[in-house]
Amino acid sequence: MDAIDRLDRIIHEPARLKIMTRLYVVESGDFVYLARTTGLTRGNLSSHMLKLESAGYLEVIKEFVDRKPVTMLKLTDKGRQAFIEYRKNIFEVIEFSE
Amino acid sequence: MDAIDRLDRIIHEPARLKIMTRLYVVESGDFVYLARTTGLTRGNLSSHMLKLESAGYLEVIKEFVDRKPVTMLKLTDKGRQAFIEYRKNIFEVIEFSE
């Protein structure tokens, strides 16, 4: 089984790869900010968010800031681990074609 | 527009990424060998091959070897260029999440 077969398809999908790379470098990010910076529509972001959540990669936290509801997204430890694994594999894929 | 948006979706799909990485390191490869080493069924390989061919990334050459028909696959210059570009972009994606 080569590195491509080990690629996590949940993460490999470009929109989700985008969400994962952005959340990986922060503690958590709010939904509206994430929609704006990824360029995904809110509907699209929602559905990919659900997919990542059901894989156990993402945690959705509803908070109130100044009495306004805010949806915060945060990678779980499992999600961070899966992302590190994905990076290792995709790097291997690229390297071998050098 | 970040590196993920520049990712060539034709190449990003795992089965096609597999075909591209394998053909990138050789002059050409025959269909049967490629099916065996990628683990793709012939039907699957055929359909991805067509997709890559219609993108202008792949050339299909039918030859006779010992009077037997052989289908050879070969990346075009455009395909090699697109692959180099893909690698550059995916590397950027990974790097920025370090």
Side-chain angles (χ1 to χ4, degrees):
Chain A
M1 196 163 102
D2 66 27
I4 299 177
D5 292 311
R6 289 194 306 270
L7 284 180
D8 187 334
R9 306 300 174 93
I10 295 168
I11 299 176
H12 191 64
E13 198 287 322
R16 292 194 291 270
L17 184 54
K18 213 178 224 183
I19 298 168
M20 296 289 291
T21 53
R22 272 164 213 265
L23 289 178
Y24 186 75
V25 293
V26 294
E27 173 66 21
S28 64
D30 91 277
F31 184 85
V32 179
Y33 170 80
L34 213 62
R36 202 172 54 231
T37 58
T38 56
L40 295 169
T41 63
R42 293 184 182 203
N44 241 327
L45 178 53
S46 270
S47 80
H48 288 300
M49 187 179 100
L50 276 175
K51 183 108 185 179
L52 291 170
E53 196 185 11
S54 64
Y57 292 174
L58 191 85
E59 208 179 330
V60 179
I61 304 154
K62 307 251 179 195
E63 296 178 338
F64 278 85
V65 176
D66 291 336
R67 288 186 196 162
K68 282 182 193 155
V70 174
T71 302
M72 297 298 287
L73 310 182
K74 186 184 155 85
L75 292 190
T76 61
D77 289 344
K78 187 182 172 187
R80 291 191 170 268
Q81 205 46 54
F83 185 67
I84 290 168
E85 197 61 33
Y86 173 82
R87 261 192 4 203
K88 211 184 72 174
N89 287 324
I90 194 81
F91 189 73
E92 212 174 295
V93 170
I94 296 171
E95 232 187 0
F96 279 137
S97 52
E98 210 86 59
Chain B
M1 196 164 99
D2 67 27
I4 299 179
D5 292 312
R6 289 193 306 269
L7 284 179
D8 186 333
R9 305 300 173 97
I10 295 168
I11 299 177
H12 191 63
E13 197 287 323
R16 291 194 290 270
L17 183 54
K18 213 179 226 185
I19 298 168
M20 295 289 290
T21 53
R22 274 163 213 266
L23 289 179
Y24 185 75
V25 292
V26 293
E27 174 64 23
S28 64
D30 92 277
F31 183 86
V32 178
Y33 170 81
L34 212 63
R36 204 170 54 230
T37 58
T38 55
L40 295 170
T41 63
R42 293 184 184 202
N44 241 326
L45 177 53
S46 270
S47 80
H48 288 300
M49 187 179 99
L50 276 173
K51 184 112 185 175
L52 291 170
E53 196 184 10
S54 65
Y57 292 174
L58 191 85
E59 205 179 332
V60 179
I61 305 154
K62 307 252 179 193
E63 294 178 338
F64 279 85
V65 176
D66 291 337
R67 290 187 193 160
K68 283 181 192 156
V70 174
T71 302
M72 298 298 287
L73 310 182
K74 188 184 154 87
L75 291 190
T76 61
D77 288 346
K78 187 182 173 188
R80 291 189 171 269
Q81 206 45 54
F83 186 67
I84 290 168
E85 198 59 34
Y86 173 83
R87 261 192 5 202
K88 212 185 72 180
N89 288 325
I90 193 81
F91 189 73
E92 211 174 295
V93 170
I94 296 171
E95 232 187 3
F96 278 137
S97 52
E98 210 85 59

